[in-house]
Amino acid sequence: ELGGEPHEESVADKAVRVDRSIKFAEKRKQFLRSFEGVNAANTLYESLKQEVQLEIANLNTVAPSFEYSFKSNRKEFAILGRGPALLVYWNYHAANSLDDAHLEITLWLGHPPWPGVRFYDPPKKLQKFMFTFELMPSDEHCWISNDNENRTYSSKALASYLLSYSIEQADKYKQH
């Protein structure tokens, strides 16, 4: 066993726990609807871009045949290389609120839509998934997957996840 003994939560313990939860929910709501929250989210997005570039540089050293490249502009970046491309779009609408803000990741067969890039045959969107910016009770900022598992990711962990996913898709679509 782990050494702990099960016990029933006292009324006082329950009150403290619920009070802490209510206070954090209010703090979180205020933070996500503030300039400070938007600035923190933008900083985390910029950190994600940097971490992706570091991962790409490493992968191009250890597995150069993937021929990864990185394109970016203010609110989006693309991961290009062998296999389908990933387009990561940081979607937020206001300088003082993160309501409805999210990272939208789309997988494209071919070069994703990009300013200045013309297509004879338009690329095919294969998959889309999203992550949201979140404030944790520890006051750390992270990305949370919008799937059933709601996993949390630092920018470094999300960069690793995106490149790992890209490698898996290159293997899956190697015949295309």
Side-chain angles (χ1 to χ4, degrees):
E1 303 285 331
L2 295 176
E5 293 186 29
H7 70 282
E8 193 168 321
E9 183 178 40
S10 72
V11 173
D13 290 343
K14 181 181 270 187
V16 169
R17 179 179 52 79
V18 170
D19 183 57
R20 186 173 42 243
S21 175
I22 290 169
K23 286 177 181 174
F24 174 71
E26 184 57 36
K27 176 183 175 180
R28 178 187 167 276
K29 181 180 174 182
Q30 288 176 0
F31 179 75
L32 295 176
R33 292 184 175 166
S34 70
F35 290 109
E36 178 188 5
V38 172
N39 287 338
N42 285 332
T43 298
L44 199 65
Y45 170 70
E46 290 300 323
S47 172
L48 174 62
K49 284 171 53 174
Q50 291 172 357
E51 293 294 342
V52 165
Q53 290 175 80
L54 290 171
E55 286 282 348
I56 286 173
N58 182 50
L59 288 172
N60 284 337
T61 300
V62 299
S65 65
F66 278 95
E67 300 175 331
Y68 276 114
S69 64
F70 179 87
K71 286 185 174 183
S72 74
N73 60 38
R74 189 172 153 270
K75 290 178 71 175
E76 64 187 342
F77 64 86
I79 300 169
L80 308 164
R82 178 186 285 177
L86 282 175
L87 182 65
V88 178
Y89 177 64
W90 174 221
N91 187 357
Y92 72 99
H93 309 289
N96 64 347
S97 175
L98 292 166
D99 288 348
D100 300 320
H102 59 275
L103 275 179
E104 181 179 294
I105 290 90
T106 48
L107 181 69
W108 294 88
L109 194 54
H111 195 295
W114 195 262
V117 176
R118 296 183 183 258
F119 305 98
Y120 180 73
D121 291 321
K124 180 181 176 188
K125 186 187 292 190
L126 300 172
Q127 189 175 8
K128 178 173 100 170
F129 48 102
M130 293 191 281
F131 295 83
T132 53
F133 173 82
E134 191 57 78
L135 173 67
M136 302 302 288
S138 62
D139 282 338
E140 293 176 296
H141 309 136
C142 68
W143 300 108
I144 295 190
S145 63
N146 285 15
D147 58 14
N148 293 336
E149 297 181 22
N150 293 324
R151 291 185 188 148
T152 61
Y153 296 86
S154 65
S155 287
K156 183 176 181 68
L158 185 53
S160 293
Y161 172 80
L162 292 174
L163 271 297
S164 178
Y165 178 75
S166 176
I167 292 166
E168 291 167 9
Q169 297 309 305
D171 187 38
K172 180 178 177 179
Y173 288 93
K174 64 185 166 227
Q175 302 302 323
H176 289 70

